[in-house]
Amino acid sequence: MDHKDAVRLKATEKYLLNELDPDQLDQFEEHLFDCPDCALDVRAAAMFVEQSKNVLSETTVVMPARVATPTRGGWFAWLRPALTAPALALLLLVVGYQNLISLPRLKHAAGQPQVLPLASLNVGTYAGEGPLILASRGKGFVLFVRIPPDPAYSSYKADLYNPAGKLEWSLTIPAASSRDLWPVEVPAADRAAGAYTLAVHGVTATGESRDVGRNPFQLQIQN
């Protein structure tokens, strides 16, 4: 088991909750010796669970007996569930893991510089199948879109279509007489491999849209 497999299986959480099967358990424990990230996650989460148990054991409250009275029904009756101690402990574990480990890790990763794959698209020229982009699963990439300047347009609209022909997103690009190359960062998403198309339309000052060109590119996903 490598680190990607451990993250995909949520092995840390399942390890602490005893939800790994024997084979996965052996593989994950062997992986812990070579992966400082997973080992740190397990130690931090285990400490949180231990502290949660101590808090729960010290805050036992004995409620005085009361004469049962009929409860009134209504729209909000379902909002009064009774949480047992195990369920509360599990909830604390999930919330604590997200706040102490998962969210800080995501924030740290988001603040790090990244090398993104890129490709150049020349709008209005014949490109055949287009360039090939090798992107990691769930990651973004960059398109350098070259649009011939045209004073008839005040802006451009770029539409990205997936291999099924469905519009994935649209982007407005300002027009500039002294600039014809625009770097477009395609946001991260769980995309399928295949042939994508970037369609560019010129927008006049009166709001009229005209087709400028369509450029295909091939997206290959790397695990």
Side-chain angles (χ1 to χ4, degrees):
M1 179 183 295
D2 58 19
H3 186 67
K4 289 184 178 179
D5 292 332
V7 173
R8 177 176 55 84
L9 293 173
K10 293 184 169 66
T12 300
E13 297 93 319
K14 292 182 178 179
Y15 179 75
L16 294 169
L17 296 173
N18 295 322
E19 293 181 354
L20 292 175
D21 61 42
D23 185 50
Q24 291 175 333
L25 179 61
D26 292 339
Q27 294 181 26
F28 183 65
E29 289 183 338
E30 182 177 352
H31 169 70
L32 286 176
F33 287 100
D34 300 321
C35 182
D37 290 338
C38 287
L40 178 61
D41 287 353
V42 170
R43 287 197 299 269
M47 291 175 60
F48 181 82
V49 172
E50 187 64 28
Q51 291 298 322
S52 300
K53 290 180 179 179
N54 293 336
V55 171
L56 289 173
S57 64
E58 293 173 0
T59 56
T60 302
V61 178
V62 179
M63 299 297 295
R66 295 189 302 173
V67 178
T69 58
T71 58
R72 289 183 293 177
W75 289 100
F76 301 102
W78 60 277
L79 288 174
R80 295 190 289 270
L83 290 177
T84 62
L88 180 59
L90 178 59
L91 178 61
L92 288 173
L93 171 61
V94 173
V95 174
Y97 183 83
Q98 290 178 341
N99 285 282
L100 296 179
I101 299 174
S102 297
L103 293 180
R105 175 182 290 178
L106 290 175
K107 291 179 180 179
H108 176 73
Q112 296 303 303
Q114 301 181 56
V115 177
L116 297 178
L118 59 87
S120 295
L121 300 179
N122 294 318
V123 176
T125 61
Y126 179 74
E129 293 184 351
L132 175 65
I133 299 178
L134 300 177
S136 300
R137 183 172 301 280
K139 299 295 184 180
F141 51 90
V142 175
L143 296 175
F144 280 98
V145 183
R146 187 178 298 276
I147 305 174
D150 191 328
Y153 303 125
S154 59
S155 65
Y156 297 94
K157 181 171 174 285
D159 298 324
L160 181 67
Y161 293 89
N162 63 22
K166 183 178 179 181
L167 178 63
E168 189 168 301
W169 52 253
S170 297
L171 174 68
T172 298
I173 300 175
S177 59
S178 60
R179 180 176 180 181
D180 64 351
L181 185 62
W182 303 90
V184 176
E185 182 178 353
V186 180
D190 188 13
R191 294 184 175 88
Y196 287 74
T197 300
L198 185 73
V200 177
H201 304 274
V203 182
T204 66
T206 60
E208 181 184 356
S209 178
R210 301 171 185 171
D211 187 24
V212 175
R214 293 172 177 264
N215 283 78
F217 63 92
Q218 305 295 318
L219 180 63
Q220 181 175 330
I221 303 299
Q222 297 177 318
N223 294 322

